[in-house]
Amino acid sequence: MAASKIGKGVSELVAAGCTDTGKYLALFPIEIKHAVGANEQILQNILEISQTLQKFSQQPSTSSLDIMRALHTITHCLEGAPHLYFDNHTTQILSWWLPQFIEILSVVLLLSDTNTDGSSQILKDNNTVESYFNCYRANIVIVVYLLTGAYLVDQSLTTRIQEIEKDIAAKELYCATQLEEKTKKITSSIRKRLHSACKDCSDFSIPKDQPLAGRVKKAPHQIRSWKDIYESLPPVSSTSAYLFTLDIPQELCIHLGMDLPDPSVRSPSLTFAAPHPLHTLLEKVSKIGHTLESVRNYWPISFSDSDSRLLTRTALVVAADAEQLCKLEVVPFAVPESWDNWLVYTTLLRTFLDYVILLIVRKAPKSQAEDILGKMIVQTR
């Protein structure tokens, strides 16, 4: 996107300090309305709070209260976004952005002195703070691209909505028939496999003194999440970041992977188990199942425009995850029957997502949505 006309437009708006999300959305194709969902308010808050950070980097002194107010503003915004807990794409995006925000606040504190009455921070090095902010601002362009869901448009996932709207009645009949036939096929196959497996299964255990296969020490340079970066920071920097996270609700911290350990109690010999390919695959499928359950619980009795936008984006997010599953070059199954069931499941998932979009378009009653979602949740489990 960075080299495109849209990317250039976004960069110019960010550089100009624009906080009007409407101007950003106007740069993208009209299908962006399906992809942005409920993220528009989050993006608005990020743009506004980023302007506050820019002021911190430019002015000679900053009120200590304003620094904490900036953190509380974005925290309250995220707490008021219930879709954050079942839109795993938005969760990943914010898990990448929020630590950067906290790092800027930490830099402001570390490169400033408190005045005599403790009411404000006097910057000692504006140039360094501004250079940090310029790096942060460059990443805001990426945040805009991701939170608007422009990548979903680029993947042509939004065109499915237009195709479905052409002949709703015929498409719904087809989806209902396919869902019924394929769920029966998978259920019957799984029952046969379980019956056969129960005859041949045997228990085994790993001796306590034998190390688990694949468990290795984490290399010092290995970065898997922000926690790894945090643990490599100098004590004064990690302490500052840790103190800021204490003002974020624990549930939100855990959800975004920011539940940091106390820097005064460090564990230098952390280990991790190298994930098995099958475990990784099952984790991805499990996330889809969790999202479907959340959609079933959220499905409104009476639809509003915001409900339609949120559910449409969620369906596109699951569709993007499903496309990744369908395009896997290697699937870690040991028996042909499992591979056959996997192919049926991924085909069923695509059809099911078209069905869900149909239900959203015609604002289907909650009872019908719960029934259809329930069938797919069972197959995913």
Side-chain angles (χ1 to χ4, degrees), residues 315-344:
L316 293 176
V317 165
V318 177
D321 291 341
E323 287 301 314
Q324 288 186 345
L325 295 178
C326 294
K327 294 177 180 178
L328 290 176
E329 294 183 359
V330 178
V331 181
F333 296 130
V335 292
E337 291 86 354
S338 295
W339 173 249
D340 292 340
N341 283 335
W342 175 254
L343 291 178
V344 175

PDB file of all heavy atoms in Angstrom, residues 315-344:
ATOM      1  N   ALA A 315     -17.507 -11.654   9.747  1.00  0.00           N
ATOM      2  CA  ALA A 315     -17.630 -12.719   8.750  1.00  0.00           C
ATOM      3  C   ALA A 315     -16.464 -12.667   7.761  1.00  0.00           C
ATOM      4  O   ALA A 315     -15.921 -13.709   7.370  1.00  0.00           O
ATOM      5  CB  ALA A 315     -18.960 -12.596   8.007  1.00  0.00           C
ATOM      6  N   LEU A 316     -16.042 -11.467   7.377  1.00  0.00           N
ATOM      7  CA  LEU A 316     -14.914 -11.322   6.450  1.00  0.00           C
ATOM      8  C   LEU A 316     -13.598 -11.743   7.111  1.00  0.00           C
ATOM      9  O   LEU A 316     -12.726 -12.331   6.462  1.00  0.00           O
ATOM     10  CB  LEU A 316     -14.818  -9.873   5.968  1.00  0.00           C
ATOM     11  CG  LEU A 316     -15.966  -9.377   5.069  1.00  0.00           C
ATOM     12  CD1 LEU A 316     -15.795  -7.901   4.750  1.00  0.00           C
ATOM     13  CD2 LEU A 316     -16.039 -10.189   3.784  1.00  0.00           C
ATOM     14  N   VAL A 317     -13.460 -11.439   8.399  1.00  0.00           N
ATOM     15  CA  VAL A 317     -12.262 -11.846   9.140  1.00  0.00           C
ATOM     16  C   VAL A 317     -12.158 -13.376   9.181  1.00  0.00           C
ATOM     17  O   VAL A 317     -11.091 -13.949   8.934  1.00  0.00           O
ATOM     18  CB  VAL A 317     -12.279 -11.267  10.567  1.00  0.00           C
ATOM     19  CG1 VAL A 317     -11.259 -11.967  11.461  1.00  0.00           C
ATOM     20  CG2 VAL A 317     -11.987  -9.758  10.539  1.00  0.00           C
ATOM     21  N   VAL A 318     -13.283 -14.026   9.486  1.00  0.00           N
ATOM     22  CA  VAL A 318     -13.290 -15.498   9.515  1.00  0.00           C
ATOM     23  C   VAL A 318     -13.031 -16.038   8.109  1.00  0.00           C
ATOM     24  O   VAL A 318     -12.332 -17.045   7.939  1.00  0.00           O
ATOM     25  CB  VAL A 318     -14.625 -16.031  10.070  1.00  0.00           C
ATOM     26  CG1 VAL A 318     -14.650 -17.559  10.030  1.00  0.00           C
ATOM     27  CG2 VAL A 318     -14.841 -15.562  11.503  1.00  0.00           C
ATOM     28  N   ALA A 319     -13.575 -15.367   7.102  1.00  0.00           N
ATOM     29  CA  ALA A 319     -13.351 -15.799   5.717  1.00  0.00           C
ATOM     30  C   ALA A 319     -11.868 -15.721   5.364  1.00  0.00           C
ATOM     31  O   ALA A 319     -11.327 -16.607   4.681  1.00  0.00           O
ATOM     32  CB  ALA A 319     -14.176 -14.941   4.760  1.00  0.00           C
ATOM     33  N   ALA A 320     -11.192 -14.660   5.817  1.00  0.00           N
ATOM     34  CA  ALA A 320      -9.755 -14.521   5.561  1.00  0.00           C
ATOM     35  C   ALA A 320      -8.979 -15.647   6.242  1.00  0.00           C
ATOM     36  O   ALA A 320      -8.052 -16.228   5.650  1.00  0.00           O
ATOM     37  CB  ALA A 320      -9.268 -13.162   6.059  1.00  0.00           C
ATOM     38  N   ASP A 321      -9.362 -15.967   7.485  1.00  0.00           N
ATOM     39  CA  ASP A 321      -8.706 -17.072   8.193  1.00  0.00           C
ATOM     40  C   ASP A 321      -8.985 -18.406   7.502  1.00  0.00           C
ATOM     41  O   ASP A 321      -8.108 -19.279   7.409  1.00  0.00           O
ATOM     42  CB  ASP A 321      -9.186 -17.130   9.645  1.00  0.00           C
ATOM     43  CG  ASP A 321      -8.698 -15.952  10.470  1.00  0.00           C
ATOM     44  OD1 ASP A 321      -7.717 -15.297  10.044  1.00  0.00           O
ATOM     45  OD2 ASP A 321      -9.287 -15.668  11.527  1.00  0.00           O
ATOM     46  N   ALA A 322     -10.228 -18.561   7.010  1.00  0.00           N
ATOM     47  CA  ALA A 322     -10.598 -19.807   6.328  1.00  0.00           C
ATOM     48  C   ALA A 322      -9.803 -19.979   5.031  1.00  0.00           C
ATOM     49  O   ALA A 322      -9.385 -21.095   4.693  1.00  0.00           O
ATOM     50  CB  ALA A 322     -12.098 -19.810   6.033  1.00  0.00           C
ATOM     51  N   GLU A 323      -9.571 -18.876   4.307  1.00  0.00           N
ATOM     52  CA  GLU A 323      -8.792 -18.946   3.070  1.00  0.00           C
ATOM     53  C   GLU A 323      -7.370 -19.416   3.354  1.00  0.00           C
ATOM     54  O   GLU A 323      -6.778 -20.171   2.573  1.00  0.00           O
ATOM     55  CB  GLU A 323      -8.783 -17.590   2.367  1.00  0.00           C
ATOM     56  CG  GLU A 323     -10.097 -17.214   1.718  1.00  0.00           C
ATOM     57  CD  GLU A 323     -10.541 -18.216   0.671  1.00  0.00           C
ATOM     58  OE1 GLU A 323      -9.704 -18.625  -0.162  1.00  0.00           O
ATOM     59  OE2 GLU A 323     -11.727 -18.615   0.688  1.00  0.00           O
ATOM     60  N   GLN A 324      -6.809 -18.958   4.470  1.00  0.00           N
ATOM     61  CA  GLN A 324      -5.467 -19.417   4.849  1.00  0.00           C
ATOM     62  C   GLN A 324      -5.458 -20.913   5.098  1.00  0.00           C
ATOM     63  O   GLN A 324      -4.526 -21.627   4.698  1.00  0.00           O
ATOM     64  CB  GLN A 324      -4.995 -18.673   6.099  1.00  0.00           C
ATOM     65  CG  GLN A 324      -4.634 -17.222   5.848  1.00  0.00           C
ATOM     66  CD  GLN A 324      -4.030 -16.564   7.070  1.00  0.00           C
ATOM     67  OE1 GLN A 324      -4.114 -17.083   8.187  1.00  0.00           O
ATOM     68  NE2 GLN A 324      -3.418 -15.416   6.880  1.00  0.00           N
ATOM     69  N   LEU A 325      -6.501 -21.405   5.781  1.00  0.00           N
ATOM     70  CA  LEU A 325      -6.584 -22.842   6.060  1.00  0.00           C
ATOM     71  C   LEU A 325      -6.726 -23.639   4.769  1.00  0.00           C
ATOM     72  O   LEU A 325      -6.157 -24.723   4.624  1.00  0.00           O
ATOM     73  CB  LEU A 325      -7.775 -23.129   6.977  1.00  0.00           C
ATOM     74  CG  LEU A 325      -7.708 -22.553   8.399  1.00  0.00           C
ATOM     75  CD1 LEU A 325      -8.989 -22.902   9.157  1.00  0.00           C
ATOM     76  CD2 LEU A 325      -6.503 -23.092   9.155  1.00  0.00           C
ATOM     77  N   CYS A 326      -7.490 -23.109   3.815  1.00  0.00           N
ATOM     78  CA  CYS A 326      -7.726 -23.831   2.559  1.00  0.00           C
ATOM     79  C   CYS A 326      -6.491 -23.878   1.678  1.00  0.00           C
ATOM     80  O   CYS A 326      -6.373 -24.758   0.816  1.00  0.00           O
ATOM     81  CB  CYS A 326      -8.871 -23.166   1.791  1.00  0.00           C
ATOM     82  SG  CYS A 326     -10.481 -23.276   2.608  1.00  0.00           S
ATOM     83  N   LYS A 327      -5.563 -22.943   1.884  1.00  0.00           N
ATOM     84  CA  LYS A 327      -4.391 -22.844   1.014  1.00  0.00           C
ATOM     85  C   LYS A 327      -3.126 -23.424   1.647  1.00  0.00           C
ATOM     86  O   LYS A 327      -2.030 -23.222   1.125  1.00  0.00           O
ATOM     87  CB  LYS A 327      -4.156 -21.374   0.638  1.00  0.00           C
ATOM     88  CG  LYS A 327      -5.269 -20.787  -0.231  1.00  0.00           C
ATOM     89  CD  LYS A 327      -5.044 -19.313  -0.520  1.00  0.00           C
ATOM     90  CE  LYS A 327      -6.152 -18.737  -1.373  1.00  0.00           C
ATOM     91  NZ  LYS A 327      -5.968 -17.284  -1.616  1.00  0.00           N
ATOM     92  N   LEU A 328      -3.272 -24.126   2.759  1.00  0.00           N
ATOM     93  CA  LEU A 328      -2.102 -24.726   3.391  1.00  0.00           C
ATOM     94  C   LEU A 328      -1.455 -25.739   2.459  1.00  0.00           C
ATOM     95  O   LEU A 328      -2.131 -26.592   1.886  1.00  0.00           O
ATOM     96  CB  LEU A 328      -2.520 -25.422   4.697  1.00  0.00           C
ATOM     97  CG  LEU A 328      -2.940 -24.508   5.855  1.00  0.00           C
ATOM     98  CD1 LEU A 328      -3.416 -25.364   7.036  1.00  0.00           C
ATOM     99  CD2 LEU A 328      -1.795 -23.621   6.297  1.00  0.00           C
ATOM    100  N   GLU A 329      -0.137 -25.631   2.297  1.00  0.00           N
ATOM    101  CA  GLU A 329       0.573 -26.559   1.426  1.00  0.00           C
ATOM    102  C   GLU A 329       0.775 -27.917   2.090  1.00  0.00           C
ATOM    103  O   GLU A 329       0.813 -28.949   1.430  1.00  0.00           O
ATOM    104  CB  GLU A 329       1.933 -25.968   1.036  1.00  0.00           C
ATOM    105  CG  GLU A 329       1.818 -24.710   0.176  1.00  0.00           C
ATOM    106  CD  GLU A 329       3.175 -24.194  -0.245  1.00  0.00           C
ATOM    107  OE1 GLU A 329       4.189 -24.811   0.151  1.00  0.00           O
ATOM    108  OE2 GLU A 329       3.231 -23.188  -0.967  1.00  0.00           O
ATOM    109  N   VAL A 330       0.912 -27.898   3.417  1.00  0.00           N
ATOM    110  CA  VAL A 330       1.126 -29.140   4.160  1.00  0.00           C
ATOM    111  C   VAL A 330       0.152 -29.173   5.335  1.00  0.00           C
ATOM    112  O   VAL A 330       0.051 -28.212   6.088  1.00  0.00           O
ATOM    113  CB  VAL A 330       2.572 -29.240   4.690  1.00  0.00           C
ATOM    114  CG1 VAL A 330       2.747 -30.517   5.502  1.00  0.00           C
ATOM    115  CG2 VAL A 330       3.566 -29.216   3.534  1.00  0.00           C
ATOM    116  N   VAL A 331      -0.582 -30.272   5.451  1.00  0.00           N
ATOM    117  CA  VAL A 331      -1.486 -30.460   6.584  1.00  0.00           C
ATOM    118  C   VAL A 331      -1.022 -31.696   7.354  1.00  0.00           C
ATOM    119  O   VAL A 331      -0.890 -32.775   6.770  1.00  0.00           O
ATOM    120  CB  VAL A 331      -2.949 -30.626   6.119  1.00  0.00           C
ATOM    121  CG1 VAL A 331      -3.872 -30.805   7.318  1.00  0.00           C
ATOM    122  CG2 VAL A 331      -3.395 -29.418   5.300  1.00  0.00           C
ATOM    123  N   PRO A 332      -0.753 -31.561   8.657  1.00  0.00           N
ATOM    124  CA  PRO A 332      -0.115 -32.640   9.428  1.00  0.00           C
ATOM    125  C   PRO A 332      -1.061 -33.754   9.868  1.00  0.00           C
ATOM    126  O   PRO A 332      -1.279 -33.980  11.043  1.00  0.00           O
ATOM    127  CB  PRO A 332       0.434 -31.890  10.644  1.00  0.00           C
ATOM    128  CG  PRO A 332      -0.528 -30.765  10.848  1.00  0.00           C
ATOM    129  CD  PRO A 332      -0.957 -30.346   9.477  1.00  0.00           C
ATOM    130  N   PHE A 333      -1.637 -34.460   8.896  1.00  0.00           N
ATOM    131  CA  PHE A 333      -2.508 -35.580   9.233  1.00  0.00           C
ATOM    132  C   PHE A 333      -1.805 -36.889   8.871  1.00  0.00           C
ATOM    133  O   PHE A 333      -1.164 -36.991   7.815  1.00  0.00           O
ATOM    134  CB  PHE A 333      -3.837 -35.484   8.485  1.00  0.00           C
ATOM    135  CG  PHE A 333      -4.654 -34.276   8.862  1.00  0.00           C
ATOM    136  CD1 PHE A 333      -5.175 -33.444   7.889  1.00  0.00           C
ATOM    137  CD2 PHE A 333      -4.885 -33.965  10.194  1.00  0.00           C
ATOM    138  CE1 PHE A 333      -5.921 -32.333   8.235  1.00  0.00           C
ATOM    139  CE2 PHE A 333      -5.628 -32.860  10.546  1.00  0.00           C
ATOM    140  CZ  PHE A 333      -6.149 -32.039   9.568  1.00  0.00           C
ATOM    141  N   ALA A 334      -1.972 -37.871   9.736  1.00  0.00           N
ATOM    142  CA  ALA A 334      -1.258 -39.140   9.550  1.00  0.00           C
ATOM    143  C   ALA A 334      -2.061 -40.155   8.747  1.00  0.00           C
ATOM    144  O   ALA A 334      -1.510 -41.124   8.238  1.00  0.00           O
ATOM    145  CB  ALA A 334      -0.888 -39.729  10.917  1.00  0.00           C
ATOM    146  N   VAL A 335      -3.375 -39.954   8.623  1.00  0.00           N
ATOM    147  CA  VAL A 335      -4.212 -40.954   7.931  1.00  0.00           C
ATOM    148  C   VAL A 335      -5.025 -40.272   6.835  1.00  0.00           C
ATOM    149  O   VAL A 335      -5.413 -39.108   6.957  1.00  0.00           O
ATOM    150  CB  VAL A 335      -5.164 -41.663   8.923  1.00  0.00           C
ATOM    151  CG1 VAL A 335      -4.385 -42.528   9.885  1.00  0.00           C
ATOM    152  CG2 VAL A 335      -5.999 -40.648   9.703  1.00  0.00           C
ATOM    153  N   PRO A 336      -5.295 -40.971   5.744  1.00  0.00           N
ATOM    154  CA  PRO A 336      -6.043 -40.395   4.610  1.00  0.00           C
ATOM    155  C   PRO A 336      -7.441 -39.915   5.004  1.00  0.00           C
ATOM    156  O   PRO A 336      -7.940 -38.921   4.480  1.00  0.00           O
ATOM    157  CB  PRO A 336      -6.113 -41.550   3.607  1.00  0.00           C
ATOM    158  CG  PRO A 336      -4.980 -42.453   3.971  1.00  0.00           C
ATOM    159  CD  PRO A 336      -4.842 -42.340   5.461  1.00  0.00           C
ATOM    160  N   GLU A 337      -8.084 -40.644   5.934  1.00  0.00           N
ATOM    161  CA  GLU A 337      -9.448 -40.269   6.323  1.00  0.00           C
ATOM    162  C   GLU A 337      -9.489 -38.876   6.941  1.00  0.00           C
ATOM    163  O   GLU A 337     -10.443 -38.119   6.727  1.00  0.00           O
ATOM    164  CB  GLU A 337     -10.010 -41.304   7.315  1.00  0.00           C
ATOM    165  CG  GLU A 337     -10.279 -42.671   6.703  1.00  0.00           C
ATOM    166  CD  GLU A 337      -9.041 -43.557   6.700  1.00  0.00           C
ATOM    167  OE1 GLU A 337      -7.950 -43.067   7.071  1.00  0.00           O
ATOM    168  OE2 GLU A 337      -9.168 -44.742   6.358  1.00  0.00           O
ATOM    169  N   SER A 338      -8.466 -38.549   7.721  1.00  0.00           N
ATOM    170  CA  SER A 338      -8.414 -37.217   8.325  1.00  0.00           C
ATOM    171  C   SER A 338      -8.269 -36.146   7.251  1.00  0.00           C
ATOM    172  O   SER A 338      -8.877 -35.071   7.330  1.00  0.00           O
ATOM    173  CB  SER A 338      -7.238 -37.130   9.307  1.00  0.00           C
ATOM    174  OG  SER A 338      -7.432 -37.992  10.398  1.00  0.00           O
ATOM    175  N   TRP A 339      -7.461 -36.444   6.247  1.00  0.00           N
ATOM    176  CA  TRP A 339      -7.288 -35.498   5.139  1.00  0.00           C
ATOM    177  C   TRP A 339      -8.614 -35.292   4.397  1.00  0.00           C
ATOM    178  O   TRP A 339      -8.983 -34.165   4.048  1.00  0.00           O
ATOM    179  CB  TRP A 339      -6.220 -36.038   4.193  1.00  0.00           C
ATOM    180  CG  TRP A 339      -6.072 -35.249   2.925  1.00  0.00           C
ATOM    181  CD1 TRP A 339      -6.407 -35.652   1.670  1.00  0.00           C
ATOM    182  CD2 TRP A 339      -5.564 -33.921   2.786  1.00  0.00           C
ATOM    183  NE1 TRP A 339      -6.137 -34.673   0.752  1.00  0.00           N
ATOM    184  CE2 TRP A 339      -5.620 -33.589   1.415  1.00  0.00           C
ATOM    185  CE3 TRP A 339      -5.072 -32.978   3.677  1.00  0.00           C
ATOM    186  CZ2 TRP A 339      -5.207 -32.365   0.917  1.00  0.00           C
ATOM    187  CZ3 TRP A 339      -4.648 -31.752   3.174  1.00  0.00           C
ATOM    188  CH2 TRP A 339      -4.717 -31.452   1.820  1.00  0.00           C
ATOM    189  N   ASP A 340      -9.344 -36.394   4.178  1.00  0.00           N
ATOM    190  CA  ASP A 340     -10.639 -36.293   3.499  1.00  0.00           C
ATOM    191  C   ASP A 340     -11.609 -35.420   4.295  1.00  0.00           C
ATOM    192  O   ASP A 340     -12.308 -34.571   3.731  1.00  0.00           O
ATOM    193  CB  ASP A 340     -11.245 -37.690   3.298  1.00  0.00           C
ATOM    194  CG  ASP A 340     -10.445 -38.518   2.290  1.00  0.00           C
ATOM    195  OD1 ASP A 340      -9.702 -37.909   1.497  1.00  0.00           O
ATOM    196  OD2 ASP A 340     -10.562 -39.760   2.330  1.00  0.00           O
ATOM    197  N   ASN A 341     -11.659 -35.658   5.599  1.00  0.00           N
ATOM    198  CA  ASN A 341     -12.556 -34.867   6.446  1.00  0.00           C
ATOM    199  C   ASN A 341     -12.154 -33.392   6.453  1.00  0.00           C
ATOM    200  O   ASN A 341     -13.004 -32.493   6.511  1.00  0.00           O
ATOM    201  CB  ASN A 341     -12.546 -35.398   7.882  1.00  0.00           C
ATOM    202  CG  ASN A 341     -13.369 -36.661   8.022  1.00  0.00           C
ATOM    203  OD1 ASN A 341     -14.291 -36.899   7.247  1.00  0.00           O
ATOM    204  ND2 ASN A 341     -13.035 -37.485   8.999  1.00  0.00           N
ATOM    205  N   TRP A 342     -10.834 -33.136   6.410  1.00  0.00           N
ATOM    206  CA  TRP A 342     -10.348 -31.757   6.393  1.00  0.00           C
ATOM    207  C   TRP A 342     -10.806 -31.033   5.125  1.00  0.00           C
ATOM    208  O   TRP A 342     -11.244 -29.885   5.181  1.00  0.00           O
ATOM    209  CB  TRP A 342      -8.823 -31.755   6.487  1.00  0.00           C
ATOM    210  CG  TRP A 342      -8.216 -30.385   6.349  1.00  0.00           C
ATOM    211  CD1 TRP A 342      -7.547 -29.900   5.271  1.00  0.00           C
ATOM    212  CD2 TRP A 342      -8.245 -29.326   7.306  1.00  0.00           C
ATOM    213  NE1 TRP A 342      -7.154 -28.604   5.489  1.00  0.00           N
ATOM    214  CE2 TRP A 342      -7.580 -28.223   6.738  1.00  0.00           C
ATOM    215  CE3 TRP A 342      -8.785 -29.210   8.589  1.00  0.00           C
ATOM    216  CZ2 TRP A 342      -7.425 -27.019   7.406  1.00  0.00           C
ATOM    217  CZ3 TRP A 342      -8.620 -28.002   9.256  1.00  0.00           C
ATOM    218  CH2 TRP A 342      -7.960 -26.928   8.674  1.00  0.00           C
ATOM    219  N   LEU A 343     -10.726 -31.707   3.990  1.00  0.00           N
ATOM    220  CA  LEU A 343     -11.162 -31.107   2.728  1.00  0.00           C
ATOM    221  C   LEU A 343     -12.663 -30.799   2.758  1.00  0.00           C
ATOM    222  O   LEU A 343     -13.110 -29.745   2.304  1.00  0.00           O
ATOM    223  CB  LEU A 343     -10.844 -32.042   1.554  1.00  0.00           C
ATOM    224  CG  LEU A 343      -9.363 -32.224   1.210  1.00  0.00           C
ATOM    225  CD1 LEU A 343      -9.197 -33.213   0.055  1.00  0.00           C
ATOM    226  CD2 LEU A 343      -8.718 -30.891   0.843  1.00  0.00           C
ATOM    227  N   VAL A 344     -13.438 -31.718   3.322  1.00  0.00           N
ATOM    228  CA  VAL A 344     -14.885 -31.494   3.434  1.00  0.00           C
ATOM    229  C   VAL A 344     -15.161 -30.311   4.356  1.00  0.00           C
ATOM    230  O   VAL A 344     -16.007 -29.460   4.077  1.00  0.00           O
ATOM    231  CB  VAL A 344     -15.597 -32.759   3.953  1.00  0.00           C
ATOM    232  CG1 VAL A 344     -17.080 -32.477   4.182  1.00  0.00           C
ATOM    233  CG2 VAL A 344     -15.440 -33.911   2.973  1.00  0.00           C
TER     234      VAL A 344
END
